Structure formats: C-alpha cells, structure tokens
Amino acid sequence: MSTPQAIRGTQDIFGAEAEAFAHVVETFERVRKLYRFRRVEMPVFEKTEVFSRSIGETTDVVSKEMYSFEDRGGESLTLRPEFTAGICRAYLTNGWQQHAPLKVATHGPLFRYERPQKGRYRQFHQLDAEILGAGEPQADVELLVLADQLLKELGIADGVTLMLNTLGDAESRDAWRAALVEYFRAVKSELSEDSQDRLERNPLRILDSKDPRDKVFVADAPKIDDFLSGEAQDFFGKVTSGLDAAGVAWTRAPSLVRGLDYYRHTAFEFVTDRLGAQGTVLGGGRYDGLMESLGGPPTPAVGWAAGIERLAMLVADAGKTKSDRLEFVLVPMGEAAEQFCLGLITKLRSRGIASDMAFRGNAKKRMQRADASGAEAAIIVGDDELATNSIKVKDLKTGEQVQRELGDWFDVGVGATYTRAALLDGLGGRSWIIE
Ligand code: ATP
Ligand code: MG
C-alpha cells in the first residue's frame, strides 16, 4: 500500500523554517500586547455568505479561490480565506460594539485554492490585527506603526518598504472607477483575459494585476489624486502626518489597490524585492463598508494581515532566528544513574532551566550527542558520582570539568539567577543547594 501524499499547496514545516515561523508568531504576540491589541480566536470555517457578501463576488478570492463545501446538513460552508470577514461577523453577532473601538489580533491558517509556488500556498498562515468601530485616521496610524515595529523587531525592516495609498471615500472611488473604465476600455483588446473580464465588473482590480500585459497600461492609468474629495484628502493627510510624527517611513503608491472589494481610504502594503514574485509580506487598509455588507450598522474599521510564511522566509534569510538556549544535557552511566538523573532533570526543568537527556545509548554515544546538541554543559553521573552523592559538570564550550557535591551546588532561592560560569567557578558566592 502506498503512503498518502500531502495535499498540493500544503506544507509540513520542520527544522529551521519551523523555528523561524514560531519566532514570527512569538514576536507578534509580544508586540501586539505592547499596543494593547486583545487576542481573539476565530473559527476556521464560516457560512459561505460571510465571505461572498463581504469580500465581493467579483474578487478572485470569492470567484476562484474559496474552499467551499456542503456539510452534512446541506449548508454551504467555506474554509476561511482571510480573517477580516469572520472577525466582522463575530463583532456583529456577539455585540462586540459595546467594546468599540476594539483592537483585536489573531493568527492561524487560511485556505485559498491558488497555484502553489514559492511563498504561495493553499493552506497558509497569517498574523492579523484589526481596529473595529474606529473611523479616526489615528487608528490607521496605530496599525501601521504596529506593523513597522513588528518588522523592526523581527530584524527584517531593511529592504521592506511601506507602500501607501488612499482609495478615497465612496464618492472619490466612484469617480476614479469611471475614469479607469474609460481609460482601460480604449486598450481593452491588449489587456489580459482576466482584466478584460474585470473591466466592467471590477476595474480597480486591473491595477492589482500581476500580468505583464496589464502592467504596461497601469503606469499611466488615471490616479486617485485627481478625484479625491476634500474630506478624503484631509483624512489621508492625517494618516501621513501621523506616520511622520511616529517616524514610520512610507512611499506613496498611487496605483496601489487591495485585492478585496471592501477597502476605503487608506490602503497599504509592505513589500520587498527579496522574495521574488511573492513580495508583499503585509497588506491591509480601511474597510468602512464591510459591516454593512454583512447586514450590520455602518461601522468604520481598519486592519492588516501578514503572511507568516513570507515573514519567516525573510527572518531565516537574514539569519535572525536564535535557537533557544539549551543549558544541560544529562549523561547517566548505567541504570541507577539514569533514575537519579531523571530526578535531577525534573528539578532543573521545573526551575526553568532547559535540559535534555536521551532515552537510550551508552555513555559514549550520549556524550557525543551532548557535544552535538549545542548545550552549554553536560552533567555526567556514573557509579563514582552516585557513591559520593556528586555530579560531574563539563563545560561543553571549553572542555573544562569539575566535580560538585550535590549537597551544596544548586541554587533554589527565589529570584536567584543561575549561571553556568558560577557553577563552574566554584559557586560565585551563591548557595547551591539541591533538595
Ligand atoms: P497576493 O497579491 O500575494 O495574492 P493578496 O492581496 O491576495 O496577496 P491578502 O489577502 O492581502 O493578500 O493577504 C495578506 C498577506 O497574506 C499577503 O500579503 C501575503 O503575505 C499573505 N498571503 C496571501 N495569500 C497567500 C498565499 N496563498 N500563500 C502565502 N501567503 C499568502
Ligand atoms: Mg491573492
């Protein structure tokens, strides 16, 4: 019988890539707390209409990329292709309006039926941050500053640029849309098939096309600036001056639109040329119309999502993942020593000291593994040590070795910090007591 293969476009992440992935998530968790974004957990599937009504029937996501299916009760469900629509559904169904303005963050897997390639998968993962029920440009600014700090803390901010645009309010957007239709209609036959199709249904999306046949015309297409209402200009001015005050660098990108239909005013992407074609690591904007498309009251909101795999690739390429410190590897010689070491390693770990011990192997094998493990020191226990109630500690960086009686070597005091150096150099003035 042959082993079943993984589904195309899914990944089994292991080793350095998995470490980089975890580092991205841990850094996000730390930074979102600094900005007081509250953690939410969302279902992986929703009724299909949650996405089709909010993201829009004319987008690629809804028309081509959704994993939709009927469940056993005959209801059409969809594996979430993004977080925003589900979070808005939750905001409306749970009465989270009472917390407005509400700052929330989450992360997890998303599903889109795409053509898999480097940085593009059918199951991928995002970090997500949203501010719901806030119409102020300060909310847009806070989200962008959060994104900027995240990239800096990940050590990948160099070579990643914030591209910023405004899509204006509904009035500006409609006027711009009409001008785009007129402009692209004149060259319709030279556009990609997809864009010919988009022309009447969703012309803004042509600006987002990755097809070179469309890109030639995008550069000279009408720009939103010629259609912005005074109010929309004022809003955008507050966003850019806020970014300047916070020291966040940005570049104006007058053709930037977001792939999804619901955006208004601010739209942005953080892009890099270090990931080939999949250069957008983080994207988002303001989506003041979304809650209404879900049947809710008018509710301004803004948010972003970042591809964890893409961020992790940048982190790994920049060599920014530190492997976690391993303090001790325990090397017992014989069965009695193994029992003894089991007691010792449990004490070490329960005091927050990362330690490891192999499940099998003779002393030589175990010592080789300890050397290869990257640990700071090996704790060696043989018959001699057992007889004298002591341990041998070998500094794996220098090869230096000392013997310590167990009665006096271990610090269990509250707030005391343990160091390998102190252990090796004769206690460093601390009390090392093992219970
Ligand atoms: P793209 O233009 O690359 O298709 P998008 O506009 O569809 O991106 P969003 O829906 O804004 O992307 O998602 C935000 C981020 O999630 C992207 O910038 C990217 O980092 C990541 N992302 C989106 N789709 C995928 C995917 N299929 N595989 C991996 N990461 C993805
Ligand atoms: Mg896409």
Side-chain angles (χ1 to χ4, degrees), residues 326 328-342 345 349 355-375 377-382 394 396:
L326 173 59
F328 292 120
V329 171
L330 279 71
V331 180
M333 305 195 219
E335 241 169 73
E338 197 166 343
Q339 287 302 308
F340 176 83
C341 282
L342 184 60
I345 197 170
R349 286 169 168 166
S355 308
D356 212 355
M357 180 164 79
F359 298 138
R360 65 166 90 104
N362 60 25
K364 189 169 164 224
K365 265 265 149 54
R366 287 171 184 266
M367 226 20 247
Q368 282 168 353
R369 279 210 211 106
D371 278 324
S373 70
I379 291 179
I380 304 159
V381 179
K394 182 180 179 188
L396 293 174

Side-chain angles (χ1 to χ4, degrees), residues 37-40 87 102-106 128-132:
F37 278 64
R38 297 162 75 170
R39 184 66 205 240
V40 287
I87 290 176
L102 176 62
K103 302 196 282 188
V104 294
T106 193
D128 187 271
E130 315 277 349
I131 304 181
L132 307 163

Side-chain angles (χ1 to χ4, degrees), residues 60-61 65 112 114 120 210 310:
D60 285 354
V61 170
E65 297 175 1
R112 295 183 193 177
E114 301 215 60
R120 190 174 293 285
K210 290 167 186 83
R310 295 186 195 178

Side-chain angles (χ1 to χ4, degrees), residues 61 112 114 119-122 124 126 208 210 258-260 263 269 278 280-283 305-307 309-310:
V61 170
R112 295 183 193 177
E114 301 215 60
R120 190 174 293 285
Y121 312 100
R122 290 183 175 174
F124 62 102
Q126 285 182 343
D208 199 28
K210 290 167 186 83
R258 301 286 309 136
L260 312 179
Y263 287 103
E269 289 181 347
Q278 270 56 253
T280 306
V281 292
L282 184 152
E309 288 86 352
R310 295 186 195 178

Side-chain angles (χ1 to χ4, degrees), residues 24 28 126-129 140 143-152 154 156 160-164 256 258 263 267-272 275 278-285 303-308 310-311 314:
V24 168
F28 175 65
Q126 285 182 343
L127 311 173
D128 187 271
D140 309 45
L143 276 163
L144 285 164
V145 181
L146 164 65
D148 185 70
Q149 182 168 348
L150 174 69
L151 297 176
K152 285 182 177 145
L154 287 171
I156 56 173
V160 179
T161 312
L162 165 55
M163 308 298 278
L164 184 67
L256 186 148
R258 301 286 309 136
Y263 287 103
F268 53 85
E269 289 181 347
F270 284 78
V271 299
T272 175
L275 291 176
Q278 270 56 253
T280 306
V281 292
L282 184 152
W304 57 248
I308 299 180
R310 295 186 195 178
L311 289 173
L314 289 178

